[in-house]
Amino acid sequence: MSKPEKIVAVKGMNDILPADAPMWELFENTAETILKSYGYQKIVTPIVEDTSLFARAIGAVTDIVEKEMYSFEDSMNGDQLTLRPEGTASVVRAVLEHNLVYDGPKRLWYKGPMFRHERPQRGRYRQFFQFGAEAVGFSGPDIDAELIMLCRRLWDDLGLQNVRLELNSIGNADERQRHRADLIAFFEQNEAVLDAEAKRRLHSNPLRILDTKNPAMQEMVNGAPKLLDYLGEESLAHLNGLKKILDRNAVQYTINPRLVRGLDYYNRTVFEWVTDELGAQGTICAGGRYDPLIEQFGGKATPAVGFAMGIERIIELMKGLGETQAPSQCDVYMVHQGEEAQAQAFILAERLRDAGLDVVLHCATPAGSGSFKSQMKKADGSGAAFAVIIGDDEMAGEKAAVKAMRGEAGEQQQASVPFLEVVDYVVDQIVGGGGEHDCVDENCNEHGHHHRP
Ligand code: ATP
Ligand code: MG
C-alpha cells in the first residue's frame, strides 16, 4: 500500500496547540474580565456574511476589499458570501438588524477568527484572531478615552510594558476632501519618489499612501500636507477633549499626523497601540470612530467607535515575557492495575470530580496499560498533586494508596486510605495540607466545589 499523502493546514492558517492554549486562555480571560468591568456585553456574529456587507462597509478601494477577502458563491443558491475579514461590519449589521440601540447606546465586545488573503509572514496570517469592542450610540470624546483606557488596563494586567499609544484625528468627510486635493497635488509634485503601489493609490486612496512602509518614501511623506491642519472647529474640539481626558488620567500618547486607518468608514479619532518588539507588524490594536457608517447602512444616524486587537501578536508579546510554567493537567492521576482495580478507579475518579477536582484516569494505549512504574511516570508528567493507586493488594484491603507527587523527592508521602475516605482525604490535603477542613468560602458545604491550592 502506498503511503497516503500528508494533509497539512491551509497556508497562513495556524493551529493553537495545547502548549499555547493556556496563554490564549489567559489573554481571553483577562480581556473579558476587563471589558465586563467597563460594562461591555458580548456579541457573537456569524463567520460568513453577504459579500456586499463588507464591500459597502469597508470600502471598495481598501486593501481588504480589493484583494484580501475570501469570497465564494453558495453552491446551493448562488449567494455571494465572504469569510469575515474583520468584526465591525458584522456587529453594525447585527445592531441594525435587531435594533439593539432602540433603548439607548450599547457597549459591545466580540472575539473570533478573521480571514484575509494576505502574504503570510510573522504577525500576518490568513486566519487570525481578533478581540474587539464597539461602543454604539456615543458621540463624545469620553467614550473614545474609555476605550483607550481599558486597553491600557489590559496591557498592565498582562504585564506588557513596551506598548505605546499613537493618536490622530482624520476629521470629517469635508475636511478630508480639502486635504485630499492638496495631498494629491503634493504627491504629483513628488511623483519620482512614489512606488508602484502609491501611484496606483494616488487617485483612489491617497490618504493611505501616508501609511506606506517603504523607507524610500518616508522623507517625502513626512513633508506631505497634514490632515490635522485641515480640521474644523468641531473636529478639533473632539480631539482636544480626548487629549484632556487622557492627560488627566496619565495616559501617555504621541500625536501621529500620518496615522490613518485602512478601512474607509473611520472619522475623527483614530488610534493604534504599537510595539517595537514584533518587527514590521508592530500594531497590536487599532481603533477609531466611524460615525457615518450606521447611516450609510440605512440606519438612523448613530455615532460609534471601536477597536480591534490582533491576538496572535499579543500572544507573541506575552511569550516574550519569559518562561511560563507548564500548567498541570489535573489534580489527581488515577493509577490502576487489573480489571477490578480499573472498575474501582472509574468510581473513585467520578467521585473526585463530583468534589470539583480535575482527574485524569490512566487509559490503555496500543502498547497496553503499562506497568505501575510507567503509569507513575505518566502521573508525574501530568503535574498532578496526587496519584491514587489501586492494585490487587489495594482491592483486597479496600484501600487506595494515595501518593503526594509534589513534595521533595524522598519526602513524598504515601498513605493507605479506605476507598470511602479517598475523596475527603484528597480534598483535605489539597485545601489545608491535612487536618481540619478550613475552607475560605463561607458558603462551602464541605467539599462540594472546586478546591485548588
Ligand atoms: P495593516 O496595515 O498591518 O495591514 P490593518 O489596517 O489591515 O493593518 P486592522 O484591519 O485595523 O489592520 O486590524 C486590527 C488589528 O488586527 C491589527 O492591528 C493587527 O493587530 C491585527 N491584524 C490585522 N490583519 C492581520 C493579519 N493578517 N494577521 C494577524 N493579525 C492581523
Ligand atoms: Mg491589512
Side-chain angles (χ1 to χ4, degrees), residues 116-166:
R116 297 186 195 177
H117 202 279
E118 308 210 59
R119 192 171 67 80
Q121 53 195 292
R122 181 183 181 195
R124 200 177 278 293
Y125 310 104
R126 290 180 173 174
Q127 174 183 281
F128 61 99
F129 286 77
Q130 284 187 338
F131 190 100
E134 313 290 355
V136 185
F138 300 95
S139 54
D142 45 0
I143 194 83
D144 303 13
E146 176 179 289
L147 285 164
I148 287 171
M149 285 168 63
L150 72 81
C151 292
R152 174 180 67 169
R153 182 177 294 276
L154 179 56
W155 316 140
D156 283 352
D157 283 5
L158 294 173
L160 305 180
Q161 279 167 347
N162 301 317
V163 183
R164 60 175 195 278
L165 174 63
E166 298 196 348

Coordinates of all heavy atoms in Angstrom, one line a residue, residues 116-166:
R116 N -8.2 36.9 5.9 CA -7.7 37.8 4.9 C -6.7 37.1 4.0 O -5.8 36.5 4.6 CB -7.1 39.1 5.5 CG -8.1 39.9 6.3 CD -7.5 41.2 6.8 NE -8.4 41.8 7.8 CZ -8.1 42.9 8.5 NH1 -7.0 43.6 8.2 NH2 -8.9 43.4 9.4
H117 N -6.8 37.2 2.7 CA -5.9 36.6 1.8 C -4.6 37.4 1.7 O -4.5 38.1 0.7 CB -6.5 36.3 0.5 CG -5.9 35.2 -0.3 ND1 -4.7 35.4 -1.0 CD2 -6.1 33.9 -0.3 CE1 -4.3 34.3 -1.5 NE2 -5.2 33.3 -1.1
E118 N -3.8 37.4 2.7 CA -2.5 38.2 2.7 C -1.3 37.3 2.5 O -1.5 36.1 2.5 CB -2.4 38.9 4.1 CG -3.6 39.6 4.5 CD -3.2 40.8 5.4 OE1 -2.5 41.7 4.9 OE2 -3.7 40.9 6.6
R119 N -0.2 37.9 2.3 CA 1.0 37.1 2.2 C 1.5 36.8 3.6 O 1.8 37.6 4.4 CB 2.1 37.9 1.5 CG 3.4 37.1 1.1 CD 4.3 37.9 0.2 NE 4.9 39.0 0.9 CZ 5.9 38.9 1.8 NH1 6.5 37.7 2.0 NH2 6.5 39.9 2.4
P120 N 1.4 35.5 3.9 CA 1.7 35.1 5.3 C 3.2 35.5 5.7 O 4.1 35.3 4.9 CB 1.6 33.6 5.3 CG 0.7 33.2 4.1 CD 1.1 34.3 3.1
Q121 N 3.3 36.0 6.8 CA 4.6 36.4 7.4 C 4.4 36.5 8.9 O 3.3 36.4 9.4 CB 5.2 37.7 6.8 CG 4.2 38.8 6.9 CD 4.6 40.0 6.0 OE1 5.6 40.6 6.2 NE2 3.8 40.2 4.9
R122 N 5.5 36.8 9.6 CA 5.4 37.0 11.0 C 4.4 38.0 11.4 O 4.4 39.1 10.9 CB 6.8 37.4 11.6 CG 6.8 37.6 13.1 CD 8.1 38.1 13.5 NE 8.2 38.3 15.0 CZ 9.0 39.0 15.6 NH1 10.0 39.6 15.0 NH2 9.0 39.1 16.9
G123 N 3.4 37.6 12.2 CA 2.4 38.6 12.6 C 1.3 38.9 11.6 O 0.5 39.8 11.8
R124 N 1.4 38.2 10.5 CA 0.4 38.4 9.4 C -0.1 37.1 8.9 O 0.7 36.4 8.2 CB 1.0 39.3 8.3 CG 0.0 40.0 7.4 CD 0.7 40.9 6.4 NE 1.0 42.2 6.9 CZ 0.2 43.1 7.3 NH1 -1.1 42.9 7.2 NH2 0.6 44.3 7.8
Y125 N -1.3 36.7 9.1 CA -1.8 35.4 8.7 C -3.1 35.5 7.9 O -3.7 36.5 7.8 CB -2.0 34.5 10.0 CG -0.8 34.6 10.9 CD1 -0.8 35.4 12.1 CD2 0.4 33.9 10.6 CE1 0.3 35.5 12.9 CE2 1.5 34.0 11.4 CZ 1.5 34.8 12.5 OH 2.6 34.9 13.3
R126 N -3.5 34.3 7.4 CA -4.7 34.3 6.6 C -5.9 34.1 7.4 O -7.0 34.5 7.1 CB -4.6 33.4 5.4 CG -3.5 33.9 4.4 CD -3.3 33.0 3.2 NE -2.5 33.7 2.3 CZ -2.0 33.1 1.2 NH1 -2.3 31.8 0.9 NH2 -1.2 33.8 0.4
Q127 N -5.8 33.3 8.5 CA -6.8 33.2 9.5 C -6.1 33.8 10.8 O -5.0 33.3 11.2 CB -7.3 31.8 9.8 CG -8.2 31.8 11.0 CD -8.8 30.5 11.4 OE1 -9.7 30.0 10.8 NE2 -8.2 29.9 12.5
F128 N -6.6 34.8 11.4 CA -6.1 35.3 12.6 C -7.2 35.7 13.5 O -8.4 35.8 13.1 CB -5.2 36.5 12.3 CG -5.9 37.7 11.7 CD1 -6.3 38.8 12.4 CD2 -6.2 37.7 10.3 CE1 -7.0 39.8 11.9 CE2 -6.8 38.8 9.7 CZ -7.3 39.8 10.5
F129 N -6.9 35.9 14.8 CA -8.0 36.1 15.8 C -8.0 37.6 16.2 O -6.9 38.1 16.5 CB -7.9 35.2 17.0 CG -8.3 33.8 16.7 CD1 -7.4 33.0 16.0 CD2 -9.5 33.3 17.0 CE1 -7.8 31.7 15.6 CE2 -9.9 32.0 16.7 CZ -9.0 31.2 16.0
Q130 N -9.1 38.1 16.3 CA -9.3 39.5 16.9 C -10.1 39.5 18.1 O -11.1 38.7 18.2 CB -9.9 40.5 15.8 CG -8.9 40.9 14.7 CD -9.5 41.9 13.8 OE1 -10.7 42.1 13.7 NE2 -8.6 42.7 13.2
F131 N -9.8 40.4 19.0 CA -10.6 40.7 20.1 C -11.0 42.2 20.0 O -10.1 43.0 19.8 CB -9.9 40.5 21.4 CG -10.7 40.6 22.7 CD1 -11.1 39.4 23.3 CD2 -11.1 41.8 23.2 CE1 -11.9 39.5 24.4 CE2 -11.9 41.8 24.3 CZ -12.3 40.7 24.9
G132 N -12.3 42.5 19.9 CA -12.7 43.9 19.6 C -13.8 44.4 20.5 O -14.5 43.6 21.2
A133 N -13.9 45.7 20.5 CA -15.1 46.3 21.2 C -15.7 47.4 20.3 O -15.0 48.0 19.5 CB -14.6 47.0 22.5
E134 N -17.0 47.6 20.4 CA -17.7 48.6 19.7 C -18.6 49.3 20.7 O -19.4 48.7 21.3 CB -18.5 48.0 18.5 CG -17.8 47.0 17.6 CD -16.7 47.6 16.8 OE1 -16.5 48.8 16.7 OE2 -16.0 46.8 16.1
A135 N -18.5 50.6 20.7 CA -19.4 51.4 21.5 C -20.3 52.2 20.6 O -19.9 53.1 19.9 CB -18.7 52.4 22.5
V136 N -21.6 51.8 20.6 CA -22.5 52.3 19.5 C -23.5 53.3 20.2 O -24.2 52.9 21.1 CB -23.3 51.2 18.9 CG1 -24.1 51.7 17.7 CG2 -22.3 50.1 18.3
G137 N -23.6 54.5 19.6 CA -24.6 55.5 20.1 C -23.9 56.6 21.0 O -24.7 57.4 21.5
F138 N -22.6 56.5 21.1 CA -22.0 57.6 21.9 C -21.2 58.5 21.0 O -20.5 58.1 20.1 CB -20.9 56.9 22.9 CG -21.5 55.9 23.9 CD1 -21.6 54.6 23.6 CD2 -22.1 56.4 25.1 CE1 -22.1 53.7 24.5 CE2 -22.6 55.5 26.0 CZ -22.6 54.1 25.7
S139 N -21.3 59.8 21.3 CA -20.7 60.8 20.3 C -19.5 61.5 20.9 O -18.7 62.0 20.1 CB -21.7 61.8 20.0 OG -22.3 62.4 21.2
G140 N -19.3 61.6 22.2 CA -18.2 62.4 22.7 C -16.9 61.8 22.8 O -16.7 60.6 22.6
P141 N -15.9 62.6 23.1 CA -14.5 62.0 23.3 C -14.4 61.2 24.6 O -13.4 60.4 24.7 CB -13.6 63.3 23.4 CG -14.6 64.4 23.8 CD -15.9 64.1 23.3
D142 N -15.4 61.3 25.5 CA -15.3 60.5 26.7 C -15.3 59.0 26.4 O -14.5 58.3 27.0 CB -16.5 60.8 27.7 CG -17.8 60.9 27.0 OD1 -17.9 60.7 25.7 OD2 -18.8 61.1 27.7
I143 N -16.1 58.5 25.5 CA -16.1 57.1 25.2 C -14.8 56.7 24.5 O -14.3 55.6 24.7 CB -17.4 56.7 24.4 CG1 -17.6 55.1 24.4 CG2 -17.3 57.1 23.0 CD1 -18.2 54.6 25.7
D144 N -14.3 57.6 23.6 CA -13.0 57.3 23.0 C -12.0 57.0 24.0 O -11.2 56.1 24.0 CB -12.6 58.4 22.1 CG -13.6 58.8 21.0 OD1 -14.7 58.4 21.1 OD2 -13.2 59.6 20.1
A145 N -12.0 57.9 25.1 CA -11.0 57.8 26.2 C -11.2 56.5 26.9 O -10.2 55.8 27.3 CB -11.1 59.0 27.1
E146 N -12.4 56.2 27.1 CA -12.7 54.9 27.9 C -12.2 53.7 27.2 O -11.5 52.8 27.8 CB -14.2 54.8 28.0 CG -14.7 53.5 28.7 CD -16.2 53.3 28.9 OE1 -16.7 54.1 29.7 OE2 -16.8 52.5 28.1
L147 N -12.4 53.6 25.9 CA -11.9 52.5 25.1 C -10.3 52.4 25.2 O -9.8 51.4 25.3 CB -12.3 52.6 23.6 CG -13.8 52.3 23.4 CD1 -14.2 52.8 22.0 CD2 -14.0 50.8 23.5
I148 N -9.7 53.6 25.1 CA -8.2 53.6 25.1 C -7.8 53.2 26.5 O -6.8 52.4 26.7 CB -7.7 55.0 24.8 CG1 -7.9 55.3 23.3 CG2 -6.3 55.2 25.2 CD1 -7.7 56.7 22.8
M149 N -8.5 53.6 27.5 CA -8.0 53.3 28.9 C -8.3 51.9 29.3 O -7.5 51.3 30.1 CB -8.7 54.3 29.9 CG -8.1 55.7 29.8 SD -9.0 56.9 30.7 CE -8.9 56.3 32.4
L150 N -9.3 51.3 28.7 CA -9.4 49.8 29.0 C -8.4 49.0 28.3 O -7.9 48.0 28.8 CB -10.9 49.4 28.8 CG -11.5 49.2 27.4 CD1 -11.0 47.9 26.8 CD2 -13.0 49.2 27.5
C151 N -7.9 49.5 27.2 CA -6.7 48.8 26.5 C -5.5 49.0 27.5 O -4.8 48.0 27.7 CB -6.4 49.5 25.2 SG -7.6 49.2 23.9
R152 N -5.3 50.2 28.0 CA -4.1 50.4 28.9 C -4.2 49.4 30.1 O -3.2 48.8 30.5 CB -4.1 51.8 29.4 CG -3.0 52.0 30.4 CD -2.8 53.4 30.9 NE -4.0 53.8 31.7 CZ -4.0 54.9 32.5 NH1 -3.0 55.7 32.5 NH2 -5.1 55.2 33.2
R153 N -5.4 49.3 30.6 CA -5.6 48.4 31.7 C -5.2 46.9 31.3 O -4.6 46.2 32.1 CB -7.0 48.4 32.3 CG -7.3 47.5 33.5 CD -8.7 47.7 34.0 NE -8.9 49.0 34.6 CZ -8.6 49.4 35.8 NH1 -8.0 48.6 36.6 NH2 -8.9 50.6 36.2
L154 N -5.6 46.6 30.1 CA -5.3 45.2 29.7 C -3.8 45.0 29.5 O -3.3 44.0 30.0 CB -6.0 45.0 28.3 CG -5.8 43.6 27.6 CD1 -6.2 42.4 28.6 CD2 -6.6 43.5 26.3
W155 N -3.1 45.9 28.9 CA -1.6 45.8 28.8 C -1.0 45.7 30.2 O -0.1 44.8 30.4 CB -1.0 46.9 28.1 CG -1.6 47.4 26.8 CD1 -1.8 48.7 26.4 CD2 -2.3 46.6 25.8 NE1 -2.4 48.7 25.2 CE2 -2.8 47.5 24.8 CE3 -2.5 45.2 25.6 CZ2 -3.5 47.1 23.7 CZ3 -3.2 44.8 24.5 CH2 -3.6 45.7 23.5
D156 N -1.5 46.5 31.1 CA -1.0 46.4 32.5 C -1.2 45.1 33.1 O -0.3 44.5 33.7 CB -1.6 47.5 33.4 CG -1.1 48.9 33.1 OD1 -0.1 49.0 32.3 OD2 -1.6 49.9 33.6
D157 N -2.5 44.6 33.0 CA -2.8 43.3 33.7 C -2.0 42.2 33.1 O -1.7 41.2 33.7 CB -4.3 43.0 33.6 CG -5.1 43.9 34.6 OD1 -4.5 44.7 35.3 OD2 -6.3 43.7 34.7
L158 N -1.7 42.3 31.7 CA -1.0 41.2 31.1 C 0.5 41.4 31.3 O 1.3 40.5 31.0 CB -1.2 41.2 29.6 CG -2.7 40.9 29.1 CD1 -2.8 41.1 27.6 CD2 -3.0 39.4 29.5
G159 N 0.9 42.5 31.9 CA 2.4 42.7 32.1 C 3.1 43.2 30.9 O 4.4 43.1 30.9
L160 N 2.4 43.7 29.9 CA 3.1 44.2 28.7 C 3.6 45.6 28.9 O 2.7 46.5 29.2 CB 2.2 44.1 27.5 CG 1.5 42.7 27.2 CD1 0.6 42.8 26.0 CD2 2.6 41.7 27.0
Q161 N 4.8 45.8 28.7 CA 5.3 47.2 29.1 C 5.7 48.1 27.9 O 5.4 49.2 27.9 CB 6.5 47.0 30.0 CG 6.0 46.8 31.4 CD 7.1 46.4 32.4 OE1 8.2 46.0 32.0 NE2 6.8 46.4 33.7
N162 N 6.2 47.5 26.9 CA 6.7 48.3 25.8 C 5.7 48.5 24.7 O 5.9 48.2 23.5 CB 8.0 47.7 25.2 CG 9.1 47.6 26.3 OD1 9.2 48.6 27.1 ND2 9.8 46.5 26.3
V163 N 4.5 49.0 25.1 CA 3.4 49.3 24.2 C 3.1 50.8 24.3 O 3.0 51.3 25.4 CB 2.2 48.5 24.6 CG1 1.1 48.7 23.6 CG2 2.5 47.0 24.7
R164 N 3.1 51.5 23.2 CA 2.8 52.9 23.2 C 1.6 53.2 22.4 O 1.2 52.5 21.4 CB 4.0 53.7 22.8 CG 4.5 53.4 21.4 CD 5.6 54.3 20.9 NE 5.7 54.2 19.5 CZ 6.4 53.2 18.9 NH1 7.0 52.3 19.6 NH2 6.4 53.1 17.6
L165 N 1.0 54.4 22.7 CA -0.3 54.8 22.0 C 0.0 55.9 21.0 O 0.7 56.9 21.4 CB -1.3 55.3 23.1 CG -2.6 55.9 22.6 CD1 -3.4 54.9 21.8 CD2 -3.3 56.5 23.8
E166 N -0.5 55.7 19.8 CA -0.4 56.8 18.8 C -1.8 57.2 18.5 O -2.7 56.4 18.4 CB 0.3 56.3 17.5 CG 1.7 55.9 17.8 CD 2.6 55.7 16.6 OE1 2.0 55.7 15.5 OE2 3.8 55.7 16.7

